């Protein structure tokens, strides 16, 4: 191989990015690019895994067999999405076990939304509709991310998640058309999940420290505020259609821009939840840790069984 | 990669009869049987496949991207392997 210095490699790397040539695992990449991706992909993976918990809470209490089968399928998808993403992170040299331990020790973050409790069945509707809706909005641009394995994983995830959002909307629509108590339950879930869903897009562009570099590297293709606005614009008419009211007195259509203007997001709350002080942070991590500890014997048994089978084959 | 983990497997799926197996991603499993079952659950939840291959990632030998220019050079320089290299006069068809 020719001797090339780092600056030259970095220049060639950025040139590839600018030409929309994907970066693949064994290609040269700047250390910061690798680290940024490992951080983002593993956070994303953790969000999928922790995201199973609020919904898992309702599997045994779904109102009928159809809803239960659908919820199970959705939660199973989230597990699958976590696995696609952990293996994408591994292609960058991240150790899977260490990655998971970073979640359990609180070193790694995951989406703040999953630290809110799911109090009623309507929350399954609000999560599918709003949380998966916001996640899709976030993930669609990542299908064009510069890093091949991440982009490919996102294509699969987005394809699968469109059913997640629809099933949530269907739950909300059904409740909204139901008895006054059911409609009130749907409205209550919307009231509790609306603002946390807006926070899912992350801090405002001015406050987001990674955005500029990530956009240059095409890891990120839209800013947090752009995506948030897109989400508000598509969701407002959906809420109107099913007769629910978004809990924002300042929400109004700006006729000139065609966009909905929304009220001030409670960033103090957002940062508290990110820091670990949300209503369910401790519970979520404890549950994940316990799952790993209590599954230890299963993993050991599988390893022993594989060894026994291999020994028998070679004998 | 730490030894506490199960080996990594690459997953290839044939989506339907007549098409080749295509790489879809990877996963960890204790052995080949478990890798196949996990691949089914992780990569074919919506009938994406009718056949799965799993190959332990250690057994994949790959060309080096930093040497790809030299490695693939023999093909790049032989443009006469492509039909567009040749002039065919107007009026000639079926060629």
């Amino acid at each position: 191989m020719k001797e090339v210095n780092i600056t030259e490699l970095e220049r060639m790397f950025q040139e590839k990015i600018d030409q929309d040539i994907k970066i693949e695992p064994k290609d040269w990449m700047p250390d910061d690019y690798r680290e940024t991706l490992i951080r983002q992909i593993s956070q994303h993976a953790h969000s999928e895994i922790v995201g199973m918990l609020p919904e898992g809470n309702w599997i045994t209490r779904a109102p009928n067999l159809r809803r239960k089968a659908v919820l199970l399928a959705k939660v199973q998808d989230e597990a699958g999405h976590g696995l696609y993403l952990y293996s994408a992170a591994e292609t960058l040299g991240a150790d899977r076990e260490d990655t998971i331990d970073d979640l359990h020790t609180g070193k790694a973050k995951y989406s703040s939304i999953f630290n809110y409790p799911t109090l009623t069945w309507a929350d399954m509707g609000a999560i599918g509709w709003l949380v998966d809706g916001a996640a899709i909005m976030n993930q669609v641009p990542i299908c064009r991310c510069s890093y091949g394995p991440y982009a490919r994983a996102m294509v699969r995830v987005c394809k699968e998640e469109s059913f997640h959002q629809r099933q949530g909307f269907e739950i909300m629509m059904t409740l909204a058309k139901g008895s006054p108590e059911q409609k009130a339950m749907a409205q209550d879930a919307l009231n509790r999940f609306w603002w946390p869903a807006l926070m899912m897009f992350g801090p405002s562009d001015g406050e987001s420290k990674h955005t500029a570099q990530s956009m240059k590297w095409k890891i990120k293709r839209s800013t947090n505020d752009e995506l948030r606005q897109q989400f508000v614009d598509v969701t407002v008419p959906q809420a109107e259609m099913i007769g629910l009211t978004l809990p924002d007195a300042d929400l109004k259509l700006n006729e000139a821009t065609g966009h909905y203007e929304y009220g001030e997001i409670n960033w103090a709350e957002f940062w508290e939840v990110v820091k670990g002080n949300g209503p369910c942070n401790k519970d979520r991590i404890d549950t994940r840790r316990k799952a790993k500890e209590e599954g230890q014997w299963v993993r050991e048994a599988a390893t022993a069984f594989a060894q026994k089978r291999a020994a028998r084959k070679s004998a | 990669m730490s030894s506490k983990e199960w080996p990594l497997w690459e997953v290839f799926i044939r989506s339907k009869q007549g098409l080749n197996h295509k790489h879809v991603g990877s996963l960890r499993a204790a052995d080949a049987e478990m890798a196949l079952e996990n691949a089914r659950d992780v990569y074919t939840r919506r009938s994406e496949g009718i056949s799965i291959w799993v190959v332990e990632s250690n057994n994949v030998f790959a060309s080096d991207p930093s040497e790809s220019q030299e490695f693939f050079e023999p093909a790049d320089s032989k443009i006469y392997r492509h039909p567009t290299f040749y002039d065919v006069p107007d009026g000639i068809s079926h060629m």
Side-chain angles (χ1 to χ4, degrees):
Chain A
M1 189 186 153
K2 286 171 291 188
E3 277 300 317
V4 200
N5 64 34
I6 291 283
T7 340
E8 179 59 9
L9 283 169
E10 274 175 0
R11 193 191 58 76
M12 282 158 52
F13 175 83
Q14 189 60 47
E15 221 171 72
K16 272 168 87 175
I17 302 265
D18 294 342
Q19 290 171 37
D20 276 326
I21 297 173
K22 297 277 183 215
I23 307 302
E24 295 294 343
K26 293 187 162 209
D27 295 347
W28 186 89
M29 61 186 85
D31 291 345
D32 288 349
Y33 178 82
R34 186 183 300 275
E35 276 158 32
T36 302
L37 274 170
I38 290 178
R39 191 189 62 242
Q40 185 174 331
I41 298 173
S42 58
Q43 275 183 18
H44 198 159
H46 299 327
S47 302
E48 299 284 354
I49 297 299
V50 177
M52 292 194 282
L53 302 176
E55 290 177 308
N57 185 34
W58 282 90
I59 290 175
T60 56
R61 288 177 284 165
N64 60 45
L65 195 54
R66 177 183 181 274
R67 298 278 186 215
K68 180 169 171 154
V70 168
L71 190 58
L72 260 174
K74 179 180 190 292
V75 172
Q76 195 189 5
D77 274 349
E78 311 297 0
H81 299 172
L83 293 176
Y84 305 154
L85 287 160
Y86 282 129
S87 54
E90 275 192 283
T91 64
L92 291 157
D95 181 293
R96 186 177 299 213
E97 189 95 15
D98 292 347
T99 306
I100 291 168
D101 288 342
D102 284 348
L103 170 70
H104 295 179
T105 56
K107 196 178 145 203
K109 303 275 182 247
Y110 54 91
S111 181
S112 55
I113 191 82
F114 302 118
N115 292 313
Y116 290 88
T118 46
L119 305 177
T120 71
W121 170 251
D123 291 8
M124 297 303 97
I127 287 181
W129 173 33
L130 302 174
V131 176
D132 287 79
I136 293 168
M137 207 60 103
N138 252 326
Q139 287 164 349
V140 165
I142 312 178
C143 296
R144 294 185 296 120
C145 157
S146 60
Y147 187 59
Y150 191 25
R152 292 191 286 273
M154 271 315 102
V155 171
R156 300 183 66 90
V157 167
C158 288
K159 229 183 250 174
E160 298 184 355
E161 277 193 347
S162 59
F163 117 69
H164 297 182
Q165 191 186 14
R166 285 183 183 200
Q167 66 86 36
F169 187 70
E170 190 194 68
I171 291 172
M172 288 302 256
M173 191 167 58
T174 308
L175 290 171
K177 279 193 302 204
S179 66
E181 290 82 2
Q182 287 171 320
K183 186 170 181 181
M185 193 194 272
Q187 183 62 54
D188 168 65
L190 176 56
N191 292 349
R192 282 181 290 110
F193 277 94
W194 173 250
W195 290 105
L198 292 191
M199 294 176 199
M200 280 177 69
F201 295 94
S204 285
D205 295 348
E207 305 288 319
S208 175
K209 54 181 177 176
H210 303 300
T211 295
Q213 183 60 66
S214 287
M215 298 276 284
K216 192 171 169 228
W217 278 333
K218 296 187 182 170
I219 292 173
K220 215 170 167 164
R221 316 276 320 221
S222 313
T223 71
N224 296 352
D225 287 333
E226 283 165 7
L227 292 168
R228 191 167 10 244
Q229 184 65 54
Q230 225 177 316
F231 176 74
V232 172
D233 288 345
V234 302
T235 310
V236 173
Q238 293 168 356
E240 279 169 6
M241 185 78 82
I242 56 175
L244 297 178
T245 311
L246 295 173
D248 180 356
D250 298 324
L251 188 74
K252 61 169 192 295
L253 182 67
N254 180 328
E255 301 277 355
T257 61
H259 294 297
Y260 284 92
E261 289 170 358
Y262 50 91
E264 186 64 31
I265 291 173
N266 184 347
W267 292 114
E269 175 185 321
F270 171 77
W271 289 115
E272 274 308 299
V273 179
V274 169
K275 268 188 258 164
N277 303 325
C280 300
N281 294 58
K282 189 177 173 307
D283 185 55
R284 300 296 185 231
I285 294 302
D286 286 350
T287 307
R288 288 313 310 158
R289 237 189 254 138
K290 190 163 155 246
K292 191 182 175 196
E293 281 161 18
E294 293 180 356
Q296 181 63 26
W297 72 270
V298 180
R299 291 190 297 278
E300 282 167 8
T303 306
F305 183 62
Q307 282 162 352
K308 198 169 115 188
R309 196 146 54 177
R312 212 179 279 156
K313 230 176 244 173
S314 63
Chain B
M1 210 56 59
S2 65
S3 58
K4 55 193 167 173
E5 294 185 64
W6 291 334
L8 192 65
W9 301 78
E10 299 302 322
V11 181
F12 300 82
I13 290 178
R14 185 201 295 287
S15 57
K16 64 177 197 185
Q17 211 68 13
L19 296 180
N20 46 5
H21 285 77
K22 198 176 154 196
H23 183 246
V24 293
S26 51
L27 50 78
R28 289 197 171 266
D31 62 10
E33 281 82 356
M34 187 182 185
L36 275 176
E37 283 169 10
N38 287 1
R40 177 200 57 199
D41 294 344
V42 177
Y43 292 103
T44 65
R45 282 193 306 282
R46 286 171 177 76
S47 316
E48 289 95 336
I50 54 152
S51 163
I52 302 177
W53 290 349
V54 288
V55 180
E56 227 190 291
S57 310
N58 282 339
N59 293 326
V60 174
F61 294 87
S63 59
D64 181 348
S66 68
E67 287 170 5
S68 65
Q69 211 177 343
E70 297 90 321
F71 190 72
F72 292 106
E73 192 278 333
D76 290 343
S77 60
K78 294 175 182 62
I79 52 170
Y80 45 84
R81 283 176 172 164
H82 298 278
T84 45
F85 178 74
Y86 302 92
D87 287 331
V88 176
D90 292 344
I92 298 285
S93 51
H94 305 296
M95 192 177 278

